[in-house]
Amino acid sequence: MSGDAASSQHPPAPPAYDPAAIETKWQQIWRDQGTNHTDLKGGKNPFYALMMFPYPSAEGLHVGNLFAFTGNDIYGRFHRLRGHTVFEPLGYDAFGIHSENYAIKVGEHPMRLIPRNIANFRRQLERAGLMVDWRYAVDTTDPSYYKWTQWVFIQLLKKGLAYKKKAAVNWCPSCKTVLANEQVVAGECERCATRVEQRQLEQWFFRISEYAPRLLANLEKLDWSHTTLTAQRNWIGKSEGAELRFGIREAPAAEPITVFTTRPDTIFGATYMVLAPEHPIVDVITLPEHRGAVDAYRERTASQDVVARKVNKDKTGVFTGAHAVNPATGQAIPIWIADYVLMEYGTGAIMAVPGHDERDFAFATTFSLPIVRVVAAAGETAQTPLIEACHQDRDGRLVNSAQFDGLSVADGMREIVAWLAGKGAGKAVVNYRLHDWCISRQRYWGPPIPVIYCDACGPQAVPEKDLPVILPDISDFRPDDSGISPLARHESWYHAPCPACGKQGRRETDVSDTFLDSGWYFLRYPSADRSDVPFDPALTKKWLPVTSYIGGNEHAVLHLLYSRFLTMVLHDLGLVDFEEPFAKFRAHGLIIKEGAKMSKTKGNVVVPDRLIDEWGADAFRTYLMFLGPYEEGGDFRDQGMSGVRRFLDRLWLAAHDASTDGKPDPIVIRKLHQTIRKVTEDIPALSYNTAIAAMMEYMNTLRKGERAVQRAEVEPLVQLVSPFAPHIAEELWSLFGHSESVFDAGWPSWDAALVREDTVQLAVQVNGKLRGTLAVSPDVSQDDALTLALAEPSIAKFVTEGPRKVVFVRGRLLNLVV
RNA sequence: GCGGAAGUGGCGGAAUUGGUAGACGCGCUGGACUUAGGAUCCAGUGGGGCAACCCGUGCGGGUUCGAGUCCCGCCUUUCGCACCA
């Protein structure tokens, strides 16, 4: 030390905490030493800490991404410190309409744009100090990745789980493109406000609906956020009911029409039938004099966009002229078509029971169709008039239902289904709302669906040895008027020999949905360095199912459901030995900005780069975790950052002051052990905000009255803070003379005996009202506590007579009832 | 309309799951050190009241010795889904 005069009296001022310098320094050391590399083959106690990979937008990372990733990073780092080999990979979900639309907007090719975005994301992610093993990064747009996405498609095709059918899509005639439902706003294209139409296109589907019962049943076994499980249950939408068969009066020999209903008990009230306009039997049954009206209505329905049809609740429809025979009453009832019946749910046909269904009631009222009461709730009779549909009738009794009168709704269902089944007119069935997954996109920016059409042999899967089917780099990737994918215009790519006969065939020109890319990426990570297999069996067995998955609840349904489905299929194919990919899933919350949702239009988007420049990544990470419960999100306020930064500043100073190895203060040590326990319990529960609060509390104790701190008091705090603020933790850990990374130094433990307080404040209540506290030993007896309490005048004055009853909670509370 | 989540100081949020409401942080007030402070440190900070005390967790009831927490009925916010038969 170069002793100037001042330093002989005052210790030299420690170097200032300079986050930019130490963060760059440690990120470099981590890279050089492979600190974040996971030993996938040899590592003991594997822990796969997965986070949902981001879409690398042109704007760069936003706080929401970093909030999600930091939460996962803390979880991963913590488990590493607790002795697990943690694998924390990250990648980019870079295909899809979002990128493509942006590319079109700025007039740049996505193949040029995306790599730049990815490079920028990578830079930002590294700045944030994530414990990611970048050797296993995946990029869904890289042929070495989508080769295997195409392979997944082929596995489903071979198993008969992929098929083609015509389906309605939203079409914007101005943008000349297919729109997703969320891009249709009030029946108009969200970008150009043109009226959206419906088009019928041949599309590829996966038979996920076949898996509905298993996808539902397995939910019981998953350790997932409750809200996510509920969302999945609702989406799968199991409903128990019956399929009932109605003969056609005008064509007694024809195949009866089957309807699905959840209320077979109300069949005596079925006064008409409605078919979806698209129902194939409409062509057969419509009488000539009604043909014109029916065709016009069907055309009108077809021209409507898919969203508008479902949003418009006004009842419209036309009569076909034909009649069905109600199998219960034997009566002929008119058959109508109406757009409120959807072809994709149930059988595309309903028996309308206007007395007990709101929609049917509205329709019957509009078209003056008969309404019959068949259930009477408490206080009602068979004659009680219906002024609106009586659908809250589950505990009512059947009426106007012949021999079933008087039965409860539940009994009526069972007996009527049995009766109709006996006549061959029905059976009990379970129906699911979940429909098959449409994976076709008539777009450019996605993996080509690996199929070749041959006039002689039909559709053929591209042989696995020929994968990947490379997405060609074409300059005109915009969609056009035809509704056919841009790839079809690329002649040299479009024509390909049939894999079966070798004659010239045509490639499938649709690309697949991005949810297919993300539906299996967690399988790829551990094997990302392998070009010969999609996933290595031994590594997969060791690392999967994913130990912990953290992500946003916006993917509660689709992404998580599709991933489960694909995993289940791969399991059935014998390719993986588990059915469920994610043993544990937790949904993180949403970050808002000063009470409002962040959005570009509001201009209140928080840019991480700027904040990291100003405060450092450690303070930024810690603040994100401090501003609210992780699973609920929080309100980002610029002012709040100073609090956590101050905490890190004080930690820095404390560590530099603590070079003396003096005797630690027992009071401080007790607080330390309490803090270790609190942080150790809070992190696995994702209660990051309270863990940080506990460390701040400890800091207040540690520095109280500017007391001199001892090394043994600070050193464990450096370890506790390390998952949150990894760079400063490494710097201070090395300051204490350690040569290994703090992340290889284990986790401090607490001593239960040291945690225990000698005295506690026992609350004393009189009639449940707090009247004072007593400083007593935690295991003071009721009698002693009572004596002490009554000796206290401020308490005793409320006890005018002997207490009638005494409630005593050891170490907590004494309540005197007078 | 259906389903989920949530309502606590000026603000973000704690509360051992029925036991001292408001931890921690922001902000604010006062003080110390300063040429200076948007730095640092110390103290205070739910409302009312001189005080003893009283009131207080969206609203109204209830259970209990005791309710932010449990039950019943409302209101509000918010996120999904939405003619699902």
Side-chain angles (χ1 to χ4, degrees):
Chain A
M1 178 183 281
S2 61
D4 56 50
S7 71
S8 58
Q9 287 173 348
H10 303 285
Y17 170 42
D18 177 4
I22 69 161
E23 286 169 11
T24 315
K25 169 183 161 187
W26 283 98
Q27 283 161 18
Q28 191 56 49
I29 293 173
W30 293 338
R31 268 192 297 271
D32 292 347
Q33 303 191 345
T35 311
N36 298 337
H37 288 180
T38 308
D39 177 7
L40 291 177
K41 284 210 177 66
K44 299 243 181 335
N45 215 355
F47 190 102
Y48 190 168
L50 182 67
M51 53 192 134
M52 286 183 179
F53 63 168
Y55 155 69
S57 69
E59 294 83 35
L61 217 53
H62 57 84
V63 271
N65 295 128
L66 274 184
F67 177 73
F69 300 153
T70 303
N72 187 63
D73 192 51
I74 289 162
Y75 203 66
R77 286 183 185 273
F78 174 75
H79 282 94
R80 171 172 174 165
L81 287 161
R82 302 279 284 171
H84 290 88
T85 303
V86 175
F87 182 41
E88 192 180 308
L90 201 50
Y92 311 97
D93 188 18
F95 265 139
I97 196 163
H98 200 77
S99 315
E100 185 176 321
N101 284 349
Y102 184 80
I104 291 170
K105 192 175 131 197
V106 300
E108 197 171 356
H109 198 283
M111 282 189 182
R112 255 62 73 195
L113 201 58
I114 290 295
R116 228 173 39 229
N117 292 354
I118 286 179
N120 188 38
F121 259 62
R122 169 76 182 263
R123 178 189 65 77
Q124 291 183 298
L125 290 164
E126 292 209 51
R127 276 196 87 182
L130 300 175
M131 194 179 73
V132 168
D133 188 342
W134 290 106
R135 297 174 304 168
Y136 295 92
V138 303
D139 164 6
T140 57
T141 67
D142 191 314
S144 69
Y145 181 86
Y146 71 68
K147 167 181 180 174
W148 301 112
T149 305
Q150 293 169 336
W151 174 87
V152 169
F153 173 87
I154 287 169
Q155 305 316 304
L156 274 94
L157 184 64
K158 287 203 296 207
K159 189 139 200 287
L161 291 169
Y163 67 100
K164 268 197 122 168
K165 72 170 180 193
K166 261 207 158 88
V169 294
N170 298 304
W171 176 262
C172 172
S174 163
C175 300
K176 303 183 190 346
T177 180
V178 171
L179 301 177
N181 284 351
E182 55 271 21
Q183 294 177 296
V184 180
V185 180
E188 293 176 352
C189 172
E190 70 165 353
R191 281 195 298 158
C192 67
T194 309
R195 190 91 210 148
V196 171
E197 302 169 357
Q198 193 184 115
R199 280 198 180 184
Q200 297 287 323
L201 295 176
E202 283 276 326
Q203 320 226 45
W204 283 99
F205 284 84
F206 283 162
R207 288 189 207 279
I208 189 172
S209 62
E210 266 184 21
Y211 281 70
R214 261 163 93 191
L215 288 167
L216 183 67
N218 275 8
L219 290 175
E220 305 293 331
K221 303 188 287 195
L222 300 178
D223 175 14
W224 280 23
S225 293
H226 158 259
T227 54
T228 314
L229 289 173
T230 308
Q232 293 233 335
R233 264 185 215 108
N234 291 343
W235 189 262
I236 294 168
K238 178 177 178 172
S239 66
E240 296 181 65
E243 282 186 357
L244 305 180
R245 290 148 65 84
F246 286 62
I248 302 161
R249 188 181 73 179
E250 287 79 6
E255 181 67 15
I257 298 173
T258 302
V259 304
F260 174 74
T261 178
T262 53
R263 294 294 306 273
D265 57 301
T266 62
I267 188 162
F268 285 85
T271 53
Y272 63 101
M273 175 184 278
V274 187
L275 306 179
E278 303 89 341
H279 198 293
I281 204 157
V282 175
D283 282 328
V284 181
I285 62 167
T286 302
L287 297 189
E289 61 268 38
H290 293 88
R291 176 72 62 187
V294 165
D295 286 349
Y297 186 78
R298 295 178 97 188
E299 211 164 291
R300 206 191 94 186
T301 309
S303 70
Q304 251 182 351
D305 74 274
V306 182
V307 176
R309 166 166 174 181
K310 292 188 176 180
V311 165
N312 175 22
K313 309 260 163 150
D314 293 339
K315 293 290 174 285
T316 59
V318 295
F319 180 42
T320 61
H323 294 77
V325 181
N326 183 324
T329 62
Q331 278 179 339
I333 58 175
I335 304 176
W336 287 62
I337 61 169
D339 64 4
Y340 82 95
V341 174
L342 308 173
M343 194 60 216
E344 64 265 24
Y345 186 76
T347 62
I350 62 159
M351 63 175 205
V353 184
H356 302 274
D357 181 282
E358 285 179 290
R359 299 152 300 177
D360 296 343
F361 187 90
F363 190 84
T365 310
T366 307
F367 296 104
S368 306
L369 291 158
I371 300 170
V372 176
R373 173 186 285 279
V374 286
V375 180
E380 296 176 334
T381 69
Q383 281 73 43
T384 308
L386 283 158
I387 31 171
E388 58 178 3
C390 168
H391 56 278
Q392 303 282 5
D393 56 1
R394 288 284 168 153
D395 46 13
R397 299 266 158 193
L398 302 203
V399 294
N400 297 323
S401 297
Q403 69 269 36
F404 301 101
D405 279 359
L407 290 182
S408 69
V409 164
D411 291 344
M413 281 193 202
R414 201 166 44 245
E415 296 202 12
I416 287 177
V417 171
W419 175 60
L420 292 172
K423 305 205 295 177
K427 61 174 180 200
V429 296
V430 175
N431 200 42
Y432 294 90
R433 201 191 82 110
L434 181 66
H435 47 265
D436 281 345
W437 172 15
C438 176
I439 62 139
S440 291
R441 296 292 180 269
Q442 290 71 36
R443 285 295 200 127
Y444 168 71
W445 192 233
I449 293 174
V451 167
I452 295 172
Y453 298 95
C454 170
D455 290 334
C457 313
Q460 299 291 317
V462 172
E464 290 176 24
K465 65 175 172 54
D466 294 339
L467 296 179
V469 177
I470 297 277
L471 179 70
D473 186 346
I474 57 174
S475 57
D476 181 19
F477 57 88
R478 284 167 182 72
D480 71 10
D481 198 23
S482 63
I484 297 168
S485 162
L487 290 176
R489 299 192 298 262
H490 195 59
E491 287 285 317
S492 61
W493 182 87
Y494 180 52
H495 295 292
C498 167
C501 68
K503 283 199 221 109
Q504 193 182 64
R506 304 169 308 279
R507 286 195 189 276
E508 168 64 63
T509 56
D510 286 354
V511 298
S512 59
D513 182 9
T514 40
F515 281 120
L516 182 56
D517 305 327
S518 57
W520 75 282
Y521 77 117
F522 45 91
L523 286 165
R524 181 64 183 160
Y525 276 134
S527 310
D529 56 343
R530 293 281 296 273
S531 59
D532 54 335
V533 288
F535 41 87
D536 175 82
L539 280 180
T540 304
K541 202 174 172 63
K542 176 169 180 176
W543 286 93
L544 283 113
V546 168
T547 322
S548 153
Y549 194 17
I550 288 179
N553 228 356
E554 68 273 19
H555 292 118
V557 175
L558 298 182
H559 162 64
L560 289 172
L561 196 67
Y562 293 153
S563 300
R564 295 180 59 217
F565 163 66
L566 292 176
T567 305
M568 227 173 251
V569 172
L570 294 173
H571 169 265
D572 292 353
L573 288 165
L575 295 167
V576 298
D577 60 1
F578 47 89
E579 283 198 349
E580 289 294 337
F582 315 122
K584 175 171 178 170
F585 173 77
R586 290 293 178 274
H588 65 247
L590 236 57
I591 298 292
I592 56 171
K593 168 76 172 170
E594 268 136 31
K597 211 167 158 176
M598 272 183 242
S599 71
K600 266 182 283 178
T601 46
K602 282 206 195 86
N604 63 350
V605 175
V606 178
V607 182
D609 272 323
R610 211 197 64 229
L611 287 158
I612 291 175
D613 288 342
E614 190 176 348
W615 301 96
D618 283 337
F620 186 57
R621 287 168 58 107
T622 309
Y623 178 56
L624 284 176
M625 296 302 108
F626 183 63
L627 48 72
Y630 188 63
E631 289 172 270
E632 284 165 39
D635 193 349
F636 194 100
R637 293 157 67 255
D638 287 330
Q639 278 181 327
M641 189 85 88
S642 60
V644 284
R645 173 58 196 267
R646 190 142 41 229
F647 167 69
L648 295 180
D649 278 327
R650 297 175 81 199
L651 175 65
W652 178 267
L653 288 173
H656 281 85
D657 288 352
S659 42
T660 52
D661 279 319
K663 205 166 177 250
D665 180 339
I667 307 261
V668 174
I669 289 300
R670 178 161 60 214
K671 187 74 179 169
L672 171 65
H673 282 254
Q674 290 170 344
T675 305
I676 295 171
R677 182 174 71 177
K678 176 82 175 144
V679 174
T680 309
E681 288 170 354
D682 281 357
I683 292 179
L686 305 180
S687 293
Y688 299 142
N689 55 334
T690 52
I692 294 165
M695 290 188 279
M696 287 173 164
E697 240 181 283
Y698 178 59
M699 179 62 75
N700 291 341
T701 304
L702 190 66
R703 303 281 287 175
K704 184 130 188 118
E706 297 187 84
R707 63 180 285 280
V709 292
Q710 306 304 324
R711 174 177 169 151
E713 297 167 347
V714 194
E715 201 168 351
L717 179 61
V718 170
Q719 292 174 285
L720 294 183
V721 89
S722 66
F724 298 88
H727 311 88
I728 191 175
E730 289 277 38
E731 180 68 19
L732 297 178
W733 192 246
S734 77
L735 178 75
F736 283 128
H738 301 282
S739 53
E740 96 259 68
S741 165
V742 68
F743 297 103
D744 293 320
W747 186 253
S749 55
W750 75 88
D751 180 337
L754 288 176
V755 164
R756 215 180 113 87
E757 296 281 355
D758 308 331
T759 59
V760 292
Q761 296 296 313
L762 186 79
V764 182
Q765 298 180 336
V766 179
N767 286 340
K769 283 195 169 198
L770 185 72
R771 294 304 180 186
T773 58
L774 299 170
V776 292
S777 149
D779 38 32
V780 68
S781 71
Q782 175 175 331
D783 289 346
D784 291 350
L786 186 58
T787 310
L788 283 168
L790 292 174
E792 206 67 53
S794 61
I795 296 166
K797 70 179 177 184
F798 293 99
V799 189
T800 45
E801 54 209 273
R804 270 191 317 149
K805 184 177 171 186
V806 177
V807 181
F808 180 69
V809 182
R810 181 168 288 269
R812 290 208 156 278
L813 160 142
L814 178 72
N815 187 13
L816 311 175
V817 187
V818 297

